[in-house]
Each structure stands twice: as C-alpha cells, then as structure tokens.
Amino acid sequence: MIYDTAIVGGGVAGYTAALTAKSLKLRYLWFADDGFGEKTKKAEYVRNFPAFTGGGKEFCAALETQREKEGVERVQKRVDGVYKTGENFMLTVASEAFEARTVILATGVQTRSVAGEGAYLGKGVSYCAVCDGALYRGKKVAVALFSPRFCEEAEYLASFAAEVRCFCSFGCSFRSPNITVCKERVLRVEGENRVERVITDKGAYPADGVFFLTESVPPSALCGGLECEGERVITRRDGSTNLKGLFAAGDVAGRPYQYVKAAGEGCVAAYSVASYLRAEARA
C-alpha cells in the first residue's frame, strides 16, 4: 500500500498530526516507538497546555486515553531512513520498507553532543545497526548506547564485527563474547578521511565505525538533502521543507520547545498534507 502520509515521531506533534490525519480521512502511518516520549513522561509539571494540569505521566495517560477512544493507530518501530523515490517517499524500518506520498517529520530534537559526530556521518558514523552493520564485517566497532532497548542492535553488530565496544552509563549484559561494555562517555570521534578512533572521558579506542544508538536520529542523517540549521529543520509556516512533500512539526522545527506549539504545528502539517495531495491530484 502507498499511504497518503507517514508521520515519524511519537511525541505531541506526531500524535496531533496522526489525530488530524485520521479526522481528514487520510491513509496514514504513524511511527511512534516510545509512547509519547520519555522526556514527556518525565516532565515534572505541564504548565502550558490548555485545560490540563498535572505532570508528564498524567499527561501521557490522558493522550493515551484519547488515542484509544479515537482509534488512532501507531506503529511502535523506529524509522531508520527516509528516501525520496520519484514522487513518493520510502521509509526504512530495520529490514522493512514502507511507501508514502508525503512525510511529516516530528522526531523531536536529539542534540549531537559528540565532536565529530556530524562531520563523519557516512564516513564511519551511523545510527542504524541493521542498515549498516554488514559494512563492518571483521572490523572494530564502537557503540554509544543511550538506552537498554537498543542492546539487541549491539548484538546484531556483534554478528558481523570482530569486536564491539559498547559505551553506556547503565548496567547491561550481552550474549555475544565479542562485546565489551565500558561505562564511559564518548566525547569525540576522530580520524583522517574516515572514523579511526573514539575518545572518551577515560581514554582512546581504535574504531572503524561508530554507531549512535538512540531514540531519535538527527533529521539531516534521517533524510538526505533536507535543509537544516543546526538540528532544526528549516520550515515555512505551513510546515513544508525544501523537499517537495516533506513537512516538519514540533521541536524538530525549532523553538520554543513547548507542547502547545508542537500540537499546533502537528495539526498544521496534517492540513498542509491534505492540501498538497489535493493539488497534486489536480495537476
């Protein structure tokens, strides 16, 4: 099936876009792999959302209640890549692929905190073990692991690499004997033309590739050719971007980082998709 739109991101912007898309009778796919987002759940108090008082946990519960009542379906998987294929878009999710006429990016903001991470994108820096793991057969791989739920991706890398060194701040265990756990923080990536080593707060380690396994892939890494300013996608008032048929909403489109702003932009993006599809049908 070719969907009218694919919505990438499980936060308030992505949910509102999906809710609106459903009301507009669009054929949509909503990729939301972490249930409204960990940052939302952990918010101490939500002050700026009309008619709501309480903390992030209660806010997420209210969103979930509405989602179930309205029948808004979600796919609890992380999108690894968005590719323009002619007039449509192809979205990859591990070994699966989905096609949509439009895309709404609502991925939130994942700030790069490691020097060299952006500079070596495509030159040894990756965000998807399933996509790029086979490129490192018999090589040394470093993994910056930001959540225990990505441990399986590290195991997958170990099936190709000679050595996998996982850097994380939490306790985790692995089945593969070629995985070494280091409770260290990666500070920067270094090399000449490609990644050659990672520098942590405790030392330096040789590496042919570095995988950053985290909840949100930076938009410039997720979708090639997308115009960004830092980690912000450059958008017009209707949420459109420099890529025809691709829209962005919420934190990924810039400040202020507020739930009410994210909800408004998610709604606008869905309406913009509907307008775009009508215009394309007339052309």
Side-chain angles (χ1 to χ4, degrees), residues 79-251:
V79 173
D80 303 311
V82 178
Y83 307 93
K84 186 75 171 174
T85 56
E87 292 300 310
N88 297 332
F89 291 88
M90 189 71 69
L91 295 90
T92 56
V93 180
S95 58
E96 298 178 89
F98 301 86
E99 190 172 2
R101 293 184 173 88
T102 65
V103 171
I104 298 175
L105 285 185
T107 53
V109 175
Q110 183 68 46
T111 304
R112 287 192 178 105
S113 58
V114 176
E117 180 182 340
Y120 289 97
L121 180 63
K123 301 175 182 178
V125 165
S126 179
Y127 297 90
C128 177
V130 176
C131 306
D132 298 331
L135 299 175
Y136 296 92
R137 192 181 302 274
K139 298 184 178 181
K140 293 183 178 180
V141 169
V143 174
L145 198 62
F146 291 88
S147 170
R149 65 196 188 93
F150 294 110
C151 288
E152 282 302 314
E153 289 200 38
E155 293 278 9
Y156 182 80
L157 286 171
S159 68
F160 295 103
E163 175 187 314
V164 176
R165 194 176 295 273
C166 283
F167 300 94
C168 57
S169 60
F170 48 85
C172 54
S173 59
F174 296 95
R175 300 183 302 275
S176 302
N178 57 332
I179 297 179
T180 302
V181 177
C182 301
K183 290 195 174 181
E184 303 174 29
R185 185 164 63 92
V186 176
L187 300 179
R188 63 182 183 274
V189 180
E190 293 183 346
E192 293 298 325
N193 297 319
R194 289 185 55 85
V195 169
E196 294 178 1
R197 71 192 72 85
V198 295
I199 310 300
T200 75
D201 52 355
K202 295 183 180 178
Y205 301 88
D208 299 298
V210 184
F211 286 77
F212 291 88
L213 302 184
T214 183
E215 285 79 4
S216 179
V217 178
S220 57
L222 186 67
C223 186
L226 185 62
E227 284 187 358
C228 298
E229 187 175 72
E231 299 307 315
R232 178 183 78 86
V233 177
I234 298 173
T235 61
R236 304 176 185 89
R237 284 183 60 83
D238 64 352
S240 60
T241 70
N242 68 301
L243 297 180
K244 184 180 177 182
L246 192 145
F247 302 80
D251 289 0

Side-chain angles (χ1 to χ4, degrees), residues 57-76:
K57 187 177 181 180
E58 293 78 16
F59 186 46
C60 288
L63 293 173
E64 179 62 17
T65 297
Q66 184 189 42
R67 186 195 70 80
E68 292 180 352
K69 183 177 180 179
E70 298 295 335
V72 178
E73 297 182 0
R74 66 183 169 202
V75 179
Q76 291 186 281

